[in-house]
């Protein structure tokens, strides 16, 4: 008890000096690690860089550091003695072997460097890292320099400059290569400690930041040779280079690189050209590898080594080269190592093409040949040191060169607060030890009996007998989401709680068990068990290869690429190498011909030239077609009428079949799904096919349709909405008839037009200026010095004078109502001869009112337009005949119509125009994703149908005898009466008459009946 209290006082003294915030939780920490006070004290001393003191006397425990070095040498000698004893060598032979080892030629010396790349970190993180590396009063930095004596170490300071973190040395030094390897390990450990301290000191989301530092290693081999044989006058010559690339990440344990692939350069040019181009080839491959992003394209745990040498002769020792150098031939290789097969495959898939490209650039007659090596290993259990004993660190060269951290016991323990110490003590209301390791937590969760509140695997946390709730991760007195320690299940830091981590891991296990590879693995294991059972029934295994069931099982396992164990491999090989028995050819015996005369030769029947008529459908005694486009109201154009008639969930469809007792089929273009069979325009119309036994069933369906359409009429009358407004589309641009919805905006702005003229064409420029001034178009010259070379014109139309008559607003409203009430065969689609473009084209087409009309390019989507004189006269006569504007003279109506300006919202031609006029419902099948909407007629038939619908089309020319039929949907801008008028012009305003359907029909030109009419 006295010794335990002494350690407690020493720990309290360290916390009071270095971290006073931990004094409040010291009693709980000591209670948690009862009996391990010395380990806890030594770990805390290592974390805060404090020399441990001996609790039994006034001295300190600094002798432990030198004891580790002596213990390492003693262990090395002990291992050497054990190896010598087990090898069977005699003492004279061992001495001779040791003497040969001292005098044998060594590889050439090397200049070594290892650096961490800090360019990817922000300046604040680099400064924080430099602060932790230097420590208070540069204590950590001085200690690191002492431990890395013989090597040059550079680290950033508190301000983040210089952004260098590197180690450099020469293998010719006093310590040789071991000095550099030790410096790399110690620098990596210092970085690990510094990053851990940065995370512990951070707050909020910064505690979960990912620290990733790519590192680069470079080794250049050289020899010292003398041209004249004088050892005092030696010249340094580089003979080889080795590059290494990896990425350091902050992890509790470094991953084991147990998968590797070595690409060795083979081919004639290895001996012929490699001695001359080895350095260029290595640098080319290295630059390609450095262009890859570690942690993104290449997994962070992958390490790549590039080696290349041009070869050299054996050389004796001289000044600058301590030992003799043995000869070596030219070679080049690239080694890729990774912890898993998946990471190795990803890295190899990226680096393999780079190697091929490098050889192609050098036009080398060689090839990188890959060789794969897999060494699966299992990490052994961690051994806890006994009281008063500290095990020395046994670090390998590979661990430090990979850039991973091989931390001491203080690193593994992380202040002894995240150590996984499982206890057998039963929990109580005041003490909750951690009792379940990772495997038991996973198994208990999968069985549905896991309580992390008391670490039990026999009940759920809802049934926990202890009322006090603790942190499920460390069993501390805080919320689980506020736990400062790493997750004890995955050994990592994350924001989600411990139970969510367990769920994710177990979910991945469950998903894998349901996956195809897991099923294949279970099938393979089951097949192996079945095979072993079959083989047990044979006294001689050689006889089993002739058994059909055994052969089938072995072949099935071979198809799954299964590896057979040693006792089954020979049997499986013999079965797979067996050749099937050769089948003997059976001679066909020709029977004698039957008696009597020979039969007449077979004559194939001739097929008729025309296909036989279609057989009538005998399943139904009576059928009828009810065309819906004759029954629907005009306000339904542009809405999804078919969905409304079918009803939500097919409600109306079921009602028709239930009340009539007949089968109801909806047919028409884009509906039946058999458009290839719709060759008759009549069958393309929207109709209902009623198939039953008596005509009364058809009358019943008509009655139901009348009820449904009556509901539509009442909805239109109540809401005042027609066309696509009935569908209430969320996005008008996605609706097939969204262009009918008014946008209340003018034509889209056009980019300025620029004209460039040569300096010698001054007359042409002057003529253009004169024409633009007459057109009253705004223009702009770039500068006074360039007015003869560049001219910029904004293609906008000059504003009309504000002298519109008082009847303008009334006449414009009447014209809009005339177009809305147009219902033969659909709302009016303007033709080319009805419209003229505005803007820059107004002046260019001013003289073409009675000519051939504007170019089709001018009338496009979004183009501003106006009515032609002929169209204005035609619509004025219609409005006058229908008495839509009473009291207004004809000239005033035409003048107002000529002042109207509109925007083309939709421009279609030929097939699309026919669809909008006669088959508008078919567009909704296109919008629902069926696709492939096409009229089942040729172009000539389409033109005939458009002529029948009253379309005129374009004027034929010699180059185009059959121009396309174009249609334009125009949104007209509202007009108001002007403020400037002639004096005495005060006529009474005309009244707008409500046009009856009969009046609109009488006013419109006679055209054939169409949909929605």
């Amino acid at each position: 008890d006295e010794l335990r209290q002494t350690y407690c006082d020493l720990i309290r003294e360290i916390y009071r000096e270095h971290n006073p915030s931990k004094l409040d939780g010291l009693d709980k920490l000591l209670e948690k690690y009862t009996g391990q006070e010395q380990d806890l004290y030594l770990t805390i001393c290592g974390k805060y860089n404090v020399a441990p003191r001996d609790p039994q006397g006034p001295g300190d425990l600094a002798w432990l550091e030198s004891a580790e070095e002596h213990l390492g040498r003693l262990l090395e000698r002990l291992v050497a003695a054990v190896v010598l004893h087990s090898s069977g060598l005699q003492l004279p032979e061992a001495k001779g072997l040791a003497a040969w080892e001292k005098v044998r030629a060594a590889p050439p010396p090397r200049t070594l460097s290892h650096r961490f790349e800090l360019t990817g970190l922000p300046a604040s993180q680099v400064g924080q890292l430099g602060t932790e590396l230097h420590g208070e009063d540069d204590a950590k930095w001085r200690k690191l320099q002492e431990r890395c004596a013989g090597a040059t170490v550079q680290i950033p300071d508190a301000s983040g400059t210089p952004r260098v973190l590197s180690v450099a040395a020469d293998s010719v030094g006093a310590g040789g290569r071991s000095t550099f390897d030790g410096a790399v390990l110690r620098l990596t450990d210092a970085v690990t400690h510094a990053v851990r301290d940065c995370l512990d000191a951070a707050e909020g989301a910064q505690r979960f930041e990912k620290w990733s530092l790519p590192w680069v290693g470079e080794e250049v081999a050289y020899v010292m040779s003398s041209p004249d044989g004088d050892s005092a006058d030696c010249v340094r010559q580089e003979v080889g280079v080795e590059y290494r690339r990896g990425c350091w990440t902050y992890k509790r344990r470094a991953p084991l690189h147990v998968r590797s692939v070595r690409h060795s350069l083979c081919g004639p040019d290895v001996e012929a050209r490699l001695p001359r181009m080895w350095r260029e080839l290595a640098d080319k491959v290295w630059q390609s590898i450095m262009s890859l992003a570690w942690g993104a394209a290449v997994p962070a745990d992958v390490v790549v080594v590039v080696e290349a040498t041009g070869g050299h002769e054996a050389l004796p020792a001289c000044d600058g080269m301590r030992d003799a150098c043995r000869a070596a031939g030219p070679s080049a290789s690239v080694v890729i190592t990774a912890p898993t097969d998946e990471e190795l495959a990803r890295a190899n898939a990226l680096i393999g093409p780079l190697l091929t490209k490098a050889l192609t650039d050098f036009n080398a007659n060689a090839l990188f040949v890959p060789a794969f090596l897999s060494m699966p290993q299992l990490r052994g259990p961690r051994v806890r040191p006994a009281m008063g004993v500290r095990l020395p660190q046994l670090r390998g060269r590979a661990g430090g060169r990979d850039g991973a951290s091989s931390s001491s016991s203080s690193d593994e323990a992380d202040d002894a607060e995240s150590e996984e110490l499982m206890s057998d003590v039963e929990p109580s209301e005041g003490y909750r030890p951690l009792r379940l390791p990772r495997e038991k937590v996973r198994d208990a969760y999968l069985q549905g009996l896991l309580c992390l509140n008391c670490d039990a695997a026999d009940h759920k946390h809802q049934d926990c007998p202890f009322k006090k709730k603790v942190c499920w991760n460390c069993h501390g007195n805080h919320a689980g989401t506020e736990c400062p320690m790493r997750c004890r299940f995955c050994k990592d830091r994350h924001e989600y709680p411990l139970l969510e981590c367990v769920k994710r891991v177990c979910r991945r296990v469950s998903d894998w068990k349901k996956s195809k590879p897991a099923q294949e693995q279970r099938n393979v294991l089951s097949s192996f068990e079945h095979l072993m059972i079959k083989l047990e029934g044979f006294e001689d295994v050689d006889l089993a290869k002739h058994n059909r069931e055994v052969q089938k099982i072995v072949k099935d396992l071979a198809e799954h690429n299964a590896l057979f164990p040693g006792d089954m491999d020979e049997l499986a090989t013999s079965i797979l190498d067996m050749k099937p028995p050769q089948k003997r050819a059976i001679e066909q015996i020709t029977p004698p011909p039957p008696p009597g005369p020979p039969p007449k030769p077979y004559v194939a029947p001739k097929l008729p030239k025309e296909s036989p008529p279609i057989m009538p459908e005998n399943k139904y005694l009576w059928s009828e077609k009810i065309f819906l486009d004759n029954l629907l109201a005009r306000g339904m154009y542009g809405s999804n009428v078919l969905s409304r008639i079918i009803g939500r969930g097919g409600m109306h469809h079921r009602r028709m079949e239930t009340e009539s007792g007949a089968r109801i089929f909806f047919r028409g273009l884009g509906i039946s799904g058999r458009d290839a069979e719709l060759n008759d325009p009549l069958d393309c119309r929207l109709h209902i096919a009623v198939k039953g036994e008596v005509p009364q069933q058809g009358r019943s369906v008509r009655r139901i349709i009348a009820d449904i359409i009556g509901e539509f009429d009442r909805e239109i009358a109540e809401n005042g909405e027609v066309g696509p407004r009935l569908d209430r589309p969320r996005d008008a641009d996605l609706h097939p008839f969204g262009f009918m919805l008014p946008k209340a905006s003018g034509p889209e702005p056009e980019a300025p037009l620029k004209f460039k003229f040569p300096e010698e064409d001054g007359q042409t420029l002057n003529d253009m200026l004169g024409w633009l001034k007459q057109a009253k178009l705004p223009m702009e010259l770039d500068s006074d010095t360039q007015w003869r070379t560049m001219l910029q014109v904004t293609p906008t139309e000059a504003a009309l004078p504000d002298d519109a008559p008082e009847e303008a607003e009334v006449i414009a409203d009447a014209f809009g109502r005339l177009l809305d009430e147009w219902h033969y065969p659909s709302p009016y689609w303007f033709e080319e001869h009805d419209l003229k473009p505005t803007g820059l084209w107004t002046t260019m087409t001013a003289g073409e009112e009675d000519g051939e009309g504007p170019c089709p390019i001018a009338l496009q989507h979004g183009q501003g337009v106006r009515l032609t004189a002929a169209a204005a006269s035609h619509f004025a006569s219609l409005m006058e005949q229908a008495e839509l504007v009473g009291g207004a003279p004809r000239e005033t109506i035409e003048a107002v119509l000529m002042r109207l300006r509109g925007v083309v919202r939709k421009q279609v031609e030929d097939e699309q125009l026919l669809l909008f006029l006669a088959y508008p419902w078919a567009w909704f099948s296109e919008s629902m994703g069926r696709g492939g909407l096409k009229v089942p007629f040729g172009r000539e038939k389409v033109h005939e149908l458009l002529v029948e619908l009253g379309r005129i089309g374009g004027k034929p020319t010699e180059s185009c005898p059959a121009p396309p039929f174009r249609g334009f949907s125009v949104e007209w801008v509202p007009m108001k009466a002007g403020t400037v008028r002639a004096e005495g012009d005060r006529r009474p305003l005309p009244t707008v008459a409500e046009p009856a359907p009969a009046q609109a029909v009488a006013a419109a030109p006679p055209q054939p009946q169409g949909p929605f009419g």
Side-chain angles (χ1 to χ4, degrees), residues 259 341 374 376 520-521 523-529 531-532 535 553-573 576:
R259 306 288 191 274
D341 291 331
S374 176
E520 293 179 353
Q521 182 178 354
N523 294 338
V524 169
L525 295 177
S526 177
S527 299
F528 268 114
E529 293 179 0
L531 179 60
M532 295 177 64
L535 294 180
I553 297 175
V554 170
K555 291 179 180 179
D556 292 343
L557 292 173
E559 291 179 358
H560 289 84
N561 298 325
L563 297 178
F564 295 92
D567 53 347
M568 294 184 186
D569 185 54
E570 184 177 356
L571 174 64
T573 304
L576 296 176

Side-chain angles (χ1 to χ4, degrees), residues 774-786:
Q774 292 178 3
K776 298 181 180 180
L777 292 177
M779 54 186 175
E780 179 182 353
L781 299 178
D782 284 357
S783 63
D784 296 337
T785 59
Q786 296 183 357

Side-chain angles (χ1 to χ4, degrees), residues 881-916:
Q881 293 176 11
E883 297 181 357
L884 297 179
V885 183
R890 174 69 174 271
E891 294 78 6
T892 304
I893 297 175
E894 292 185 7
V896 171
L897 294 182
M898 289 293 292
R899 294 178 64 92
L900 284 176
R901 295 295 184 266
V903 183
V904 177
R905 295 305 183 193
K906 190 72 173 180
Q907 185 259 339
V908 293
E909 62 181 37
D910 287 350
E911 292 186 0
Q912 292 187 351
L913 179 60
L914 181 61
L915 288 172
F916 276 110

Side-chain angles (χ1 to χ4, degrees), residues 17 37 87 95 272 279 294 310 488 567 623 785 899 913 991:
E17 180 179 356
E37 290 79 6
S87 62
K95 291 183 177 179
R279 189 57 184 265
W294 246 253
R488 63 166 171 152
D567 53 347
S623 62
T785 59
R899 294 178 64 92
L913 179 60
T991 58

Side-chain angles (χ1 to χ4, degrees), residues 19-37:
N19 195 351
S21 61
K22 296 229 176 200
L23 290 174
D24 296 338
L26 180 59
D27 295 337
K28 296 181 180 179
L29 182 64
L30 295 173
E31 182 181 357
K32 183 177 181 179
Y33 295 100
T34 303
Q36 302 179 13
E37 290 79 6

Side-chain angles (χ1 to χ4, degrees), residues 80-310:
V82 172
V83 171
L84 180 62
H85 177 73
S86 59
S87 62
L89 292 175
Q90 300 297 327
L91 183 59
E93 297 174 352
K95 291 183 177 179
L97 183 62
W100 174 83
E101 178 67 23
K102 292 182 180 180
V103 300
R104 73 182 180 91
R110 296 177 175 236
T111 57
L112 310 168
S113 67
H114 183 95
R115 73 177 187 276
F116 292 93
E117 297 179 357
L118 304 179
T119 56
L121 297 179
S124 59
Q125 281 188 325
V126 177
Q128 189 177 6
L129 180 62
T131 302
E132 296 295 338
L133 287 174
H134 281 274
E136 296 183 3
D137 299 332
D138 290 342
K140 293 183 180 180
W141 169 232
R142 290 193 298 270
K143 184 176 181 180
L144 180 62
Q145 287 181 321
E146 293 174 0
R147 300 180 66 184
C148 299
T152 303
V153 182
Q154 291 183 340
I155 62 174
D157 55 12
S159 62
T161 56
R163 298 175 71 92
V164 178
L165 189 61
S166 62
V167 178
D170 198 316
S171 61
V172 184
R177 187 188 182 90
S178 60
T179 300
F180 173 75
D181 293 339
V184 172
L185 288 175
R186 292 182 178 90
L187 179 61
T188 305
D189 289 343
V191 171
T192 303
H193 295 167
V195 171
R196 183 193 61 193
D197 293 340
C198 291
L199 293 176
D200 291 342
E203 297 180 357
Q206 296 180 354
R207 302 189 60 182
F208 305 99
E209 289 182 349
K210 295 294 184 181
W211 286 75
S212 178
L213 301 178
W215 57 266
V216 176
E218 182 178 349
E219 301 181 7
V220 180
Y222 62 91
V223 295
M224 306 297 293
S225 60
S226 176
D228 53 359
D230 187 4
S231 61
D233 187 13
C234 295
V235 180
R236 177 169 174 171
Q237 178 184 0
E238 296 183 356
V239 295
V241 67
E242 176 180 333
Y243 298 111
R244 291 176 177 267
R245 177 69 168 176
C247 186
W248 178 92
T249 54
Y250 182 64
K251 294 183 178 180
R252 286 287 304 275
R253 298 180 178 87
L256 296 177
H257 285 231
V258 297
R259 306 288 191 274
S260 66
V261 56
R262 183 184 186 89
H263 296 267
S264 302
L265 186 64
C266 302
D269 283 352
V270 175
E271 297 291 340
R273 298 178 56 190
L274 190 59
R276 300 190 304 272
M277 68 173 190
W278 63 271
R279 189 57 184 265
E280 291 80 4
L281 178 62
D283 293 342
K284 180 70 175 179
V285 174
W286 181 242
Q287 291 176 2
S288 302
I289 293 176
M290 288 293 290
S291 64
L292 302 176
W294 246 253
V298 181
D301 293 332
V302 171
V303 177
V304 180
V305 182
V306 179
E307 300 175 348
T309 178

Side-chain angles (χ1 to χ4, degrees), residues 339-631:
T340 61
D341 291 331
E342 293 78 9
E343 295 179 351
L344 181 63
R346 285 178 54 191
N348 192 36
L350 293 174
I351 299 176
L354 300 180
L355 303 181
T356 304
K357 185 178 183 302
L359 294 178
T360 304
D361 295 342
F362 284 98
N363 197 17
N365 188 11
L367 182 67
F368 279 103
V369 179
F372 291 85
L373 178 63
S374 176
M375 297 181 295
Q377 300 179 10
L378 294 177
R379 189 187 303 274
R382 183 167 61 248
V383 180
R384 295 284 300 173
M387 293 290 293
V389 180
R390 295 183 65 187
L391 296 180
Q393 299 174 3
L394 301 178
R395 303 175 181 175
R397 174 184 174 187
R401 302 301 303 277
D402 291 346
S405 171
S406 300
S407 303
S408 62
S409 60
S410 62
D411 301 334
E412 292 290 341
D414 191 15
D415 199 10
E417 297 177 10
S418 60
E419 186 66 50
E420 187 178 4
L421 300 177
M422 299 306 158
S423 174
D424 296 334
V425 181
E426 293 295 329
S428 63
E429 191 69 33
Y431 178 62
R432 308 284 176 82
L434 299 175
R435 302 187 300 165
L436 296 180
R438 187 174 188 270
E439 294 78 9
K440 291 185 178 180
V441 171
R442 181 192 61 197
D443 296 340
Y445 177 79
L446 293 176
Q447 294 176 4
L449 297 174
L450 174 62
C451 178
L452 295 173
N453 192 44
C454 62
D455 263 23
D458 54 357
H459 61 270
K460 299 181 179 180
H461 65 274
Q462 295 90 341
D463 304 331
C464 183
F466 304 106
K467 298 181 180 180
K468 181 181 178 182
K469 304 301 180 182
V470 297
C471 173
W472 289 359
N473 187 41
C474 65
H475 284 194
N477 294 326
H478 54 263
T481 55
E482 302 176 357
C483 185
M485 296 193 303
R486 295 177 180 85
C487 175
R488 63 166 171 152
F489 190 73
C490 65
K491 310 303 181 186
D492 201 357
R493 295 181 183 272
H494 47 69
E495 298 180 356
Y496 46 86
L498 171 63
L499 186 59
E500 180 64 23
C501 180
V502 177
K503 288 181 180 180
R504 294 186 180 186
V505 174
C506 294
R507 190 181 300 117
R508 288 197 296 268
V509 173
S510 302
D511 294 342
W512 183 85
K513 289 182 179 180
K514 299 176 183 178
S515 62
K516 186 177 180 180
Q519 182 64 29
E520 293 179 353
Q521 182 178 354
R522 288 193 292 267
N523 294 338
V524 169
L525 295 177
S526 177
S527 299
F528 268 114
E529 293 179 0
H530 192 196
L531 179 60
M532 295 177 64
I533 294 174
K534 286 292 182 182
L535 294 180
E536 290 177 358
F538 293 92
E539 297 181 358
D540 189 0
V541 181
D542 293 338
L543 300 177
K545 64 182 180 181
H546 300 289
N547 186 273
R548 293 186 177 180
E549 295 184 5
V550 174
Q551 293 177 359
K552 184 177 181 302
I553 297 175
V554 170
K555 291 179 180 179
D556 292 343
L557 292 173
E559 291 179 358
H560 289 84
N561 298 325
L563 297 178
F564 295 92
D567 53 347
M568 294 184 186
D569 185 54
E570 184 177 356
L571 174 64
T573 304
S574 61
I575 292 176
L576 296 176
D577 293 342
M578 290 176 61
K579 296 182 179 179
Q582 297 181 356
K583 297 182 179 180
R584 297 179 180 179
I586 301 177
E587 297 180 357
Q588 297 290 340
I589 301 176
T590 304
K600 296 181 179 180
Y602 175 75
V603 178
K606 295 183 179 180
L607 299 178
K609 297 182 180 180
E610 298 180 357
S611 58
I614 301 175
M615 297 295 294
E617 188 176 3
N618 298 326
K619 185 176 180 180
Y620 302 100
L621 301 179
W622 174 86
S623 62
E624 181 184 359
K625 294 181 181 179
I626 303 176
F627 291 95
L628 298 178
D629 50 5
N630 291 335
L631 303 178

